[in-house]
Amino acid sequence: MLIKIPMLSEPHLFLRVWRLNIQLVMWLINCSTFALELHDVDGPNQKPYWILSHTWGLEEVTYPEMRAKDLLDLTKKGFEKIRSICPLALEAGCQYAWVDTCCIDKSCSAELSESMNSMFYWYQRAKVCFAYLEDIEPREGLPSLVQLRRCRWFTHGWTLQELIVPKEVWFFDGKWNFRGTKKLWQKH
């Protein structure tokens, strides 16, 4: 049901005004400190961020672990992903990164639901999406079609969205070697 407001007789004007009053915020990793910070990603104070696309493993870092630094196990395999994406983002001039395993409070059903509904938008707004292809062997150049067909990343449910939606996608192999961009792969 649309409530008419005086001076706004067109529904699309009401929606625009309503949209401007909403702030979309998300937890981002400060790449210098590894601290989680809540930031506006859709307004005048928005922070640019890089986003990680990956497949989950057994030792992923969780939101509670990131919030309570004393609980953070720096030896967890999942922390290596955070430790790898942050310097790459900083080197490219971006202070923040987002990783789904530790930037969503999955114990809060409202936050989890809102996060699931916002994924498309978050990938669209990311400055760069890092696609971590953990099972691609480190070599020079583009991976072969045989390697790509066997890669777990291409079989997980979010791959299509994470490949198509971001403007920039950079691919990295299992040792975090740069393996090309979405644009480069489209040419081959």
Side-chain angles (χ1 to χ4, degrees):
M1 180 173 149
L2 181 63
I3 301 170
K4 291 210 174 190
I5 298 175
M7 309 296 288
L8 295 177
S9 58
E10 296 296 322
H12 68 279
L13 292 176
F14 172 74
L15 292 174
R16 279 194 197 141
V17 170
W18 177 75
R19 178 80 171 117
L20 291 175
N21 289 327
I22 291 179
Q23 284 188 330
L24 183 59
V25 295
M26 63 194 289
W27 289 104
L28 296 173
I29 301 167
N30 181 317
C31 291
S32 297
T33 65
F34 297 118
L36 280 183
E37 299 175 3
L38 195 60
H39 285 288
D40 182 7
V41 293
D42 187 32
N45 299 317
Q46 63 185 311
K47 301 290 183 190
Y49 59 93
W50 288 35
I51 200 164
L52 178 65
S53 174
H54 64 114
T55 54
W56 288 19
L58 296 176
E59 295 186 348
E60 296 298 340
V61 176
T62 65
Y63 173 83
E65 291 171 321
M66 285 297 284
R67 293 289 293 156
K69 287 272 191 156
D70 56 325
L71 295 178
L72 189 55
D73 181 356
L74 303 179
T75 63
K76 280 182 115 175
K77 190 173 181 181
F79 193 74
E80 185 60 35
K81 296 174 188 179
I82 297 165
R83 193 183 353 254
S84 297
I85 189 176
C86 285
L88 292 169
L90 286 170
E91 188 178 309
C94 192
Q95 183 66 40
Y96 297 98
W98 186 85
V99 179
D100 58 356
T101 57
C102 63
C103 292
I104 299 172
D105 183 359
K106 294 170 204 65
S107 69
C108 174
S109 61
E111 183 172 329
L112 181 59
S113 177
E114 185 60 34
S115 296
M116 296 299 284
N117 292 332
S118 300
M119 288 285 182
F120 181 94
Y121 188 73
W122 289 350
Y123 275 88
Q124 185 180 50
R125 300 284 301 161
K127 194 168 185 174
V128 175
C129 175
F130 279 4
Y132 177 56
L133 311 179
E134 186 173 13
D135 50 355
I136 295 289
E137 295 292 321
R139 292 193 185 120
E140 292 291 318
L142 299 175
S144 70
L145 285 177
V146 172
Q147 285 181 304
L148 293 178
R149 284 188 187 117
R150 293 182 187 151
C151 181
R152 253 181 74 216
W153 186 82
F154 286 99
T155 65
H156 85 275
W158 293 97
T159 296
L160 188 60
Q161 174 174 287
E162 295 170 6
L163 181 61
I164 293 174
V165 174
K167 293 176 190 91
E168 290 283 332
V169 179
W170 297 3
F171 295 94
F172 292 83
D173 63 29
K175 297 291 184 190
W176 287 95
N177 298 305
F178 178 70
R179 297 301 292 269
T181 65
K182 175 171 69 170
K183 290 176 185 168
L184 179 65
W185 284 20
Q186 286 173 335
K187 293 177 184 176
H188 290 87

